Amino acid sequence: MSFRTLDLNLLKVFEALMTEGSVTRAASALTMTQPAVSNALARLRDALGDPLFVRTASGIRPTQRAVALWQPIGDALEHVRHALDEDAFDPRQTQAEFILSMSDYVSSLVMPRLLNRFSEVAPSARIHTVPNTILEIGDRLEDNRVDCVLSVYVNEAQQPPAVIRSRSLWTVEYACMMRRDHPLARQKRLNTRSFLAAKHVDVSLAGKTLPTYDQFLASRGLSRNLVATVNHYNAAYEIVRQSDLIAVLPRDLSAQSRHAPHLHAMPVPLPAPPRIVSLFWHQRNDTVPAQRWLRETLVEMFARME
């Protein structure tokens, strides 16, 4: 393949296929017909000597060759785009739709503030959230099902592939939560024996069978009396409020919860290693103006100095 003979218009098709993850959506973004995009892809495959994309149930997935090409080609196209139009993305005019994956804990902290910001600076943009599944972070981004994930990657989970980028946002502060008139609430400090023997509820997001805290305890040869798991943080707070169960839960969410007047927080006798909520995205969206603006907004609003 020679650069002199390559039709550079094909690179715009390559960019659309990478960012959209679908021939249909790429055709719409380029205002081309699907056959025209398919024809351009065939020419690209012939010129580059690689399939570039393979079909999946949810669209198309880039090959290793396509992923390797994306960074330099995406950067080059972005430089050209900015050289020709410095206002390539205007949040006040955009009608973009963003899909974010997060747990109800993260959503409760992020979405109220983020929607208020959007109403001020991007009034015509739309945001949709979907539940977070820790073990599917990489797959959801790879398959273009979501634009960004706000979550944690825990030690026992498979680490994200190199094409998944991340930026730390905040460290979750945990506390042992119980109802205000719980018998243990009268103690100035929880001892380990009482803590482990008490009945516990915890949050286990879809894709994980054992809460992370129990895996931490097991690594120290300990176990607690875990009698229930739920897949929503707000459900865990409600259970704690209405029962004798206790729970190790994020302190920042409980403070602003409607349950706050009924809850009592105590230090966890056996604190686990810190868990950090991070922003995850796919490398192919590094230079997409709308995606970059979204990430910069999230980092500006929610990244905390540790």
Side-chain angles (χ1 to χ4, degrees), residues 10-23 25-27 29-30 32 37 53 60 70 77 81 144 284:
L10 298 179
L11 298 183
K12 294 172 61 179
V13 175
F14 176 75
E15 177 187 44
L17 290 168
M18 284 294 292
T19 57
E20 298 296 335
S22 160
V23 173
R25 291 194 295 269
L30 293 167
M32 295 171 61
V37 171
F53 300 93
I60 55 175
W70 174 236
L77 290 174
R81 186 177 292 112
N144 217 41
R284 64 171 168 258

Side-chain angles (χ1 to χ4, degrees), residues 124-185:
S124 297
R126 300 289 184 268
I127 308 177
H128 307 287
T129 65
V130 297
N132 173 44
T133 303
I134 291 176
L135 299 184
E136 291 185 0
I137 289 177
D139 290 340
R140 287 189 171 194
L141 292 168
E142 180 67 48
D143 294 343
N144 217 41
R145 284 179 278 168
V146 299
D147 297 308
C148 295
V149 178
L150 285 81
S151 180
V152 298
Y153 246 106
V154 288
N155 293 336
E156 70 275 9
Q158 181 181 358
Q159 290 301 303
V163 294
I164 304 301
R165 304 293 178 85
S166 66
R167 168 65 156 84
S168 298
L169 295 179
W170 73 85
T171 300
V172 184
E173 180 185 358
Y174 286 89
C176 182
M177 308 301 302
M178 62 193 72
R179 58 183 174 84
R180 285 200 173 275
D181 56 350
H182 193 286
L184 293 178

Side-chain angles (χ1 to χ4, degrees), residues 14 18 26 38 48 108 113 149 151 158 168 200 216 239 257 261 265:
F14 176 75
M18 284 294 292
S38 297
L48 300 176
S108 296
R113 290 181 57 195
V149 178
S151 180
Q158 181 181 358
S168 298
H200 288 247
F216 159 71
I239 291 169
S257 167

